[in-house]
Amino acid sequence: AQSVAQPEDQVNVAEGNPLTVKCTYSVSGNPYLFWYVQYPNRGLQFLLKYITGDNLVKGSYGFEAEFNKSQTSFHLKKPSALVSDSALYFCAVLQTGANNLFFGTGTRLTVIP
Amino acid sequence: DTGVSQNPRHKITKRGQNVTFRCDPISEHNRLYWYRQTLGQGPEFLTYFQNEAQLEKSRLLSDRFSAERPKGSFSTLEIQRTEQGDSAMYLCASSLGQGGGNQPQHFGDGTRLSIL
């Protein structure tokens, strides 16, 4: 069985400060990991993915994520938060051989001006 | 570059009525997915097509739900005899690929269904 945990429902950060949104996963075999962002009344926008290779993955809008196999984590990071980054962030895992993404429950990020 | 398009954006209907949603994927994408998202939750997988073939269905997809992708392009999701619990955002996504399916899925803006 696969699972994704986003332990924080809400993350608040001051504009210009670094941000981290946490994600841990459980899956059989090697995971494919994704981060998506959702703005109000919109669908999900793809930010970045980890398939294999370098543990630090760079994505859209200055976001990056670090894959840590021993801690089964894939935390999303950004060096300097913008007010426009305020949104709902979802971590998702794709089990090898599966076709559907399995999502966490989401973390609401609020960047305070 | 046109993204995934879903219609209608909002649907309000009475309990017991049938509803149909449409999804137009990114044109070159051969894979199409339907998800359901309720308030405060992440999207949950419903079903998946590769070209016109429906290859996987979730247990969430009761016999009141049916999805088609007749020519391997657009897809429809029909819910018959709607129930209160069907109220949710229905999301469509598409991706390109064969085999492992690790290409990013691109989502539409969804159809929000409200059952009165």
Side-chain angles (χ1 to χ4, degrees), chain A residues 12 18 35 42 51 63 68-69 78 80 88-89 100 113:
Chain A
N12 296 327
W35 275 102
R42 302 295 302 274
I51 303 300
F63 284 94
N68 187 316
K69 187 173 183 178
K78 187 173 182 181
S80 178
L88 193 54
Y89 290 80
N100 59 290

Side-chain angles (χ1 to χ4, degrees), chain A residues 18-79:
Chain A
L19 69 87
T20 299
V21 182
K22 296 179 180 177
C23 172
T24 58
Y25 66 91
S26 174
V27 68
S28 300
N30 295 320
Y32 302 143
L33 296 159
F34 301 80
W35 275 102
Y36 284 83
V37 60
Q38 187 175 35
Y39 295 96
N41 298 314
R42 302 295 302 274
L44 281 71
Q45 294 180 29
F46 168 73
L47 285 178
L48 51 80
K49 67 177 182 178
Y50 172 82
I51 303 300
T52 187
D54 194 346
N55 289 343
L56 186 64
V57 178
K58 293 188 182 298
S60 306
Y61 313 118
F63 284 94
E64 57 189 29
E66 186 167 11
F67 172 65
N68 187 316
K69 187 173 183 178
S70 63
Q71 296 185 3
T72 62
S73 67
F74 189 57
H75 300 331
L76 181 70
K77 300 182 180 184
K78 187 173 182 181

